[in-house]
Amino acid sequence: MAENLQKQLDKRGMTVADLSEALNFKYSTVRDWIKGNTYPRIDKIEMMANYFNISKSDLVERKTDREEPKTIDFVKELSADDIDWSWASAGGKPISERAKANILAAFYDEIQEYKKNHPNND
């Protein structure tokens, strides 16, 4: 669980503080989950899964190397610097780096979901 939660934070460029603030969790509680000192209740797991737009099993199940893609995906290497963000603004202000990271993470997740559901459409 701890490793999967950390992976989700890293994927989105988030910190423990970011997640704590977003879901109104105590910082020390989330830190303990990340360190593997404690385990969240199912309602907290569900809240995090919904926030990350993933299944609860993506947070709690141990992932093996076999489940990781064997080839390098261009989307993984895509960074916020590769995109012209002039179209994206919030109230006329440029969007934050965190928002950019969340958009890229969501894009990557959608690509992976599509590939999983359409294995013959590389």
Side-chain angles (χ1 to χ4, degrees):
M1 165 77 194
E3 185 178 308
N4 293 339
L5 181 54
Q6 184 64 60
K7 186 181 282 187
Q8 291 301 319
L9 292 177
D10 292 346
K11 191 186 226 184
R12 291 164 175 78
M14 293 178 69
T15 65
V16 170
D18 293 332
L19 182 63
S20 301
E21 182 180 328
L23 296 178
N24 200 28
F25 296 159
K26 284 185 175 181
Y27 175 88
S28 60
T29 300
V30 177
R31 184 192 62 221
D32 285 345
W33 296 339
I34 293 286
K35 289 182 175 185
N37 295 338
T38 60
Y39 198 84
R41 295 187 327 241
I42 188 66
D43 63 317
K44 303 300 185 199
I45 292 170
E46 188 166 8
M47 287 175 70
M48 289 186 287
N50 289 338
Y51 179 78
F52 292 132
N53 196 26
I54 59 174
S55 69
K56 291 182 287 252
S57 67
D58 287 334
L59 282 174
V60 299
E61 291 178 1
R62 180 176 292 275
K63 303 297 180 193
T64 65
D65 289 337
R66 287 179 289 131
E67 295 175 272
E68 292 297 319
K70 297 296 182 196
T71 59
I72 295 175
D73 192 328
F74 84 94
V75 177
K76 270 189 174 178
E77 296 184 13
L78 189 63
S79 76
D81 296 331
D82 297 324
I83 298 172
D84 175 9
W85 294 97
S86 60
W87 58 270
S89 67
K93 297 179 184 175
I95 62 173
S96 68
E97 293 302 313
R98 180 173 156 196
K100 291 176 185 177
N102 287 340
I103 291 168
L104 287 174
F107 178 62
Y108 178 75
D109 289 345
E110 288 298 318
I111 296 282
Q112 296 310 310
E113 185 68 22
Y114 179 84
K115 286 182 174 182
K116 184 172 80 177
N117 293 326
H118 303 87
N120 296 324
N121 289 342
D122 290 342

